[in-house]
Amino acid sequence: MSQDETPLRLHVPEPTGRPGHETDFSYLHLSRAGEVRRPPVEASPADTSDLAYTLVRVLDDEGDAIGPWAPEADAALLRRGLLAMMKTRTFDARMLIAQRQKKISFYMQCLGEEAIATGHALALRQGDMCFPTYRQQGLLLARDDVPMVDLICELLSNERDPLKGRQLPVCYSMKRAGFFSISGNLATQFVQAVGWGMASAIKGDTRIASAWIGDGATAESDFHTALTFAHVYRAPVILNVVNNQWAISTFQAIAGGEATTFAARGVGCGIASLRVDGNDFLAVIAASRWAAQRARSNLGPTLIEWVTYRAGAHSTSDDPSRYRPSDDWKHFPLGDPVARLAQHLRRIGAWSEEEHQKAQSELDAQVSAAMKEAERYGSLADGHLHSPAAMFEDVYKVMPRHLEEQRRQLGLVRKG
Amino acid sequence: MPAMTMIQALRSAMDLMLERDDNVVIYGQDVGYFGGVFRVTEGLQAKYGRSRVFDAPISEGGIVGTAIGMGAYGLRPVVEVQFADYFYPAYDQIVSEAARLRYRSAGDFFAPITIRMPCGGGIYGGQTHSQSPEVLFTHVCGLRTVMPSNPHDAKGLLIASIENDDPVIFLEPKRLYNGPFDGHHDRPLVPWSQHPLGEVPEGYYTVPMESAAVFRPGNALTALTYGTMVFVCEAAARETGIDAEIIDLRSLWPLDLPTLVASVKKTGRCVIVHEATRTSGFGAELAALVQEHCFYHLEAPIERVAGWDTPYPHAQEWAYFPGPARVGAAFRRVMED
């Protein structure tokens, strides 16, 4: 080494905040509400470059909806959205307790991220297909035609579990609600969503796909693959990246978020991209509609980075106080999506504290009733499960000989 | 009946299925305009259009992953991985997704996809154009793994695979694309037009899944094999004069156990032959099955002839490839007891 050269050093990103040290959220590069332009849906991907580095926001600190992205959304729709968010949060809180009571083996909440999935669900149409991760329960809970009891039965793995006890809690599948089967393997569904969208285009259909991934999972190869295929075939798909800043204990910088954005990856692949306040329900609706309209008009895919914060633990197996400040969410500049929409609705005279309390009581009762009903069908803990014989079904469409034999070996079916 | 090469037979199967079922789509690297590096999809894009037959980016994970999504939509994708040696980037999609989708969703979704992969050696393909990775699929619950050994079976088995609602790994021994090959690399290639199994019906027919074929009836021993090794076993029987019953598995897993068991019970001796490496190869499963089901009928230890436990070499191809001399020696050994 010559003397004028400094030794190379490996750079390993670190979050500014650790237990006992406050996070410096200036890395987020926020924009003011109403500040970011809204291009026509026909915009070319390259013309969205600036949008990938700024932040689409509608609700300001006072709760007013301002700027070009303020959606046409009447008070009834927004109230529906608020209730869907509150329902999701109430559901999560109750299931967290059920896990602590050992009624369910595992749970993952979406605390703080409720606006994204519920708002997006309201922007889609019947027949569109979402390819969610394990943190988009809001897609289901935003829909009135999805009984909570079915979801809880899956969580309890009981004899009414639609998935027959085969899946971990939270890994729902509900085709009729446009909700693809959740897999434990990260990112795989992101490219499958593109394939679903391609199929819709091949058949001359009008339905679109919606793909979901977290910030951490964007490092998986299927993220890159999905963007390439979506771009190449101009697939009618919305590519949602939920940047909640954390992948279990790993800060988003270690996923490649340092000094850049996940939305920028979209532009780099030739995909129109937006970076949106994920805690602003109105911005979620507006951006989701914009992307859906692009997809439905054969204008191709859209990538949306939703900037939010994972307010809760990663899962019931996780203790975030070991790797981040315990009061981090309080300092997150984009706040709480429920509080922000409630503030807006109050401001336009479409909501009141009394209504809020009443709605919360009703949701508490609704979730408790659903829990009670689901528990009537048993739980993993009390052994009221699907028969072990069901374990051998659905591996193939028709059970092959070797599985029939193995089922016999378990003593469940007599020979001959 | 027209004579077809295996390439033509496979193309005929896809042509027919594209015609019969609007939901069949075909794509992969170089598969569209160019017609595939082995010409298997030649002319299909011109006939059916770019929305049914098209080129794909070089991304095995993307090809299989999008096919799963299309399958979930209701299409019936037939996708190609250019060489079986290059499926590895798609393994997560194959194992974690395609194979398990029906199970984990309790039938809510499933993946009726066929993944075609040219496989096998004997072509101086070296390390990454010769592999036989079948055991990496047979080990995965939820997959069907098949491998034809001739044009007739190739067409019927591919049609059956495309129609099947389970994900099918369709392995094509590229050494057999243009003619049967018995391991005598120093002799001129005999084209399929001079072999009875090169006669292929033009219309629709299937070779059912989970059905093995008695390729050569015999009484002395049972050779369990598939792909190129079917012809190597035939040469070994001819050259040793041992009356081997050669079973072409065709469906590797799930397989046709009764046909295997009936043959070994009849002959009392069993030699398992495959190109893939030996240790934990598919032959180990076959040996275990034969031992479990035919123990009291066996008159000699079960023999396995396989590729050595090394990567597939280039220059040492014929020392690696289990040719008729090695197979014949195993035939003689099991007859000694």
Side-chain angles (χ1 to χ4, degrees), chain A residues 181 183 205 233 391 396-397, chain B residues 55 73 97 103-104 165:
Chain A
S181 157
S183 168
D205 199 346
Y233 299 109
M391 180 166 69
Y396 298 88
K397 186 179 185 184
Chain B
D55 288 314
Y73 176 93
E97 302 293 321
Y103 189 75
R104 75 170 196 237
D165 281 342

Side-chain angles (χ1 to χ4, degrees), chain A residues 10 18 52 56 67 72 76 158 185 193 200 212 326 395-396:
Chain A
L10 181 70
R18 284 296 192 190
V56 172
E72 280 181 29
N158 64 17
N185 296 71
S200 187
W212 294 85
S326 53
V395 180
Y396 298 88

Side-chain angles (χ1 to χ4, degrees), chain A residues 129 131 162-164 166-167 171 173-176 179-189 191-196 198-200 202-203 205 207 222 225 228-229 232-233 390-398 400-402, chain B residues 22-23 25 27 51-52 54-57 59 61-63 65-70 72-73 75 92-93 96-110 140-144 165-166 210 253-258:
Chain A
M129 183 64 75
F131 287 73
L163 307 183
K164 303 185 182 178
R166 294 173 188 155
Q167 278 272 52
C171 293
S173 175
M174 207 173 284
K175 189 176 184 177
R176 64 179 172 77
F179 193 94
F180 185 71
S181 157
I182 293 174
S183 168
N185 296 71
L186 293 184
T188 50
Q189 77 288 342
V191 64
Q192 292 161 7
V194 175
W196 198 97
M198 289 169 68
S200 187
I202 287 167
K203 298 302 279 186
D205 199 346
R207 295 179 290 163
D222 281 340
T225 304
T228 300
F229 278 66
V232 167
Y233 299 109
M391 180 166 69
F392 298 96
E393 294 161 5
D394 300 325
V395 180
Y396 298 88
K397 186 179 185 184
V398 178
R401 202 179 285 109
H402 70 283
Chain B
D22 283 345
N23 289 323
V25 293
Y27 62 102
S51 67
R52 301 283 306 281
F54 51 91
D55 288 314
S59 170
I63 289 167
T66 51
I68 293 166
M70 289 184 198
Y73 176 93
L75 298 191
D92 191 28
Q93 287 288 349
S96 310
E97 302 293 321
R100 298 199 192 145
L101 187 53
R102 180 189 295 278
Y103 189 75
R104 75 170 196 237
S105 70
D108 202 18
F109 296 93
F110 58 98
V140 179
C141 45
L143 296 180
R144 293 183 177 276
D165 281 342
D166 300 322
E210 297 174 60
W253 198 262
L255 52 54
D256 178 1
L257 188 64

Side-chain angles (χ1 to χ4, degrees), chain B residues 126-205:
Chain B
Q127 296 197 17
T128 57
H129 300 81
S130 308
Q131 295 170 32
S132 297
E134 61 269 18
V135 77
L136 298 177
F137 304 113
T138 56
H139 184 62
V140 179
C141 45
L143 296 180
R144 293 183 177 276
T145 303
V146 305
M147 191 192 297
S149 69
N150 57 74
H152 176 273
D153 287 356
K155 178 172 174 180
L157 203 50
L158 183 53
I159 291 172
S161 300
I162 295 170
E163 288 183 332
N164 197 283
D165 281 342
D166 300 322
V168 180
I169 306 295
F170 193 93
L171 294 161
E172 303 168 3
K174 57 185 133 11
R175 177 69 233 208
L176 300 181
Y177 268 160
N178 291 303
F181 177 66
D182 63 9
H184 287 293
H185 52 94
D186 46 352
R187 298 177 191 169
L189 174 88
V190 179
W192 280 115
S193 58
Q194 290 172 35
H195 193 284
L197 288 168
E199 284 180 20
V200 178
E202 282 199 81
Y204 173 94
Y205 69 94

Side-chain angles (χ1 to χ4, degrees), chain A residues 114-129:
Chain A
E114 294 92 342
I116 301 163
T118 57
H120 193 81
L122 297 182
L124 294 179
R125 290 187 195 155
Q126 182 80 27
D128 295 338
M129 183 64 75

Side-chain angles (χ1 to χ4, degrees), chain A residues 132-371:
Chain A
T133 76
Y134 45 68
R135 226 184 288 283
Q136 273 79 51
Q137 52 265 58
L139 292 170
L140 290 167
L141 290 161
R143 294 180 62 138
D144 298 329
D145 59 339
V146 173
M148 253 186 229
V149 176
D150 286 4
L151 305 185
I152 302 173
C153 286
E154 196 279 334
L155 298 172
L156 291 165
S157 302
N158 64 17
E159 59 193 22
R160 282 287 183 97
D161 173 3
L163 307 183
K164 303 185 182 178
R166 294 173 188 155
Q167 278 272 52
L168 267 181
V170 176
C171 293
Y172 312 110
S173 175
M174 207 173 284
K175 189 176 184 177
R176 64 179 172 77
F179 193 94
F180 185 71
S181 157
I182 293 174
S183 168
N185 296 71
L186 293 184
T188 50
Q189 77 288 342
F190 215 57
V191 64
Q192 292 161 7
V194 175
W196 198 97
M198 289 169 68
S200 187
I202 287 167
K203 298 302 279 186
D205 199 346
T206 57
R207 295 179 290 163
I208 64 170
S210 179
W212 294 85
I213 200 166
D215 47 288
T218 61
E220 293 282 3
S221 59
D222 281 340
F223 174 71
H224 176 85
T225 304
L227 266 55
T228 300
F229 278 66
H231 164 68
V232 167
Y233 299 109
R234 217 170 286 174
V237 60
I238 306 172
L239 301 159
N240 299 282
V241 180
V242 180
N243 180 3
N244 67 16
Q245 318 306 320
W246 293 94
I248 308 186
S249 73
T250 316
F251 182 55
Q252 60 103 38
I254 215 98
E258 195 170 66
T260 184
T261 70
F262 295 99
R265 264 75 158 181
V267 177
C269 288
I271 294 170
S273 300
L274 306 173
R275 188 166 173 268
V276 181
D277 181 345
N279 293 1
D280 178 342
F281 191 85
L282 277 73
V284 171
I285 288 200
S288 298
R289 284 179 179 170
W290 191 85
Q293 200 188 335
R294 273 182 68 82
R296 280 188 225 287
S297 310
N298 273 310
L299 295 165
T302 302
L303 186 144
I304 306 175
E305 175 184 348
W306 304 103
V307 179
T308 184
Y309 186 83
R310 195 197 75 210
H314 165 71
S315 72
T316 50
S317 308
D318 174 49
D319 173 11
S321 72
R322 296 174 63 117
Y323 51 79
R324 71 182 190 189
S326 53
D327 61 347
D328 224 21
W329 190 29
K330 266 197 280 182
H331 300 289
F332 183 65
L334 302 178
D336 173 350
V338 174
R340 287 176 65 193
L341 181 57
Q343 180 197 27
H344 171 67
L345 281 171
R346 281 196 306 270
R347 204 160 170 89
I348 62 172
W351 196 243
S352 68
E353 190 51 42
E354 295 71 48
E355 280 178 286
H356 198 96
Q357 296 302 335
K358 186 164 169 281
Q360 187 59 58
S361 303
E362 283 169 8
L363 286 167
D364 288 340
Q366 191 189 347
V367 174
S368 289
M371 184 74 200

Side-chain angles (χ1 to χ4, degrees), chain B residues 119 129 252 265 317:
Chain B
C119 71
H129 300 81
L252 272 52
K265 282 185 174 175
E317 172 114 68

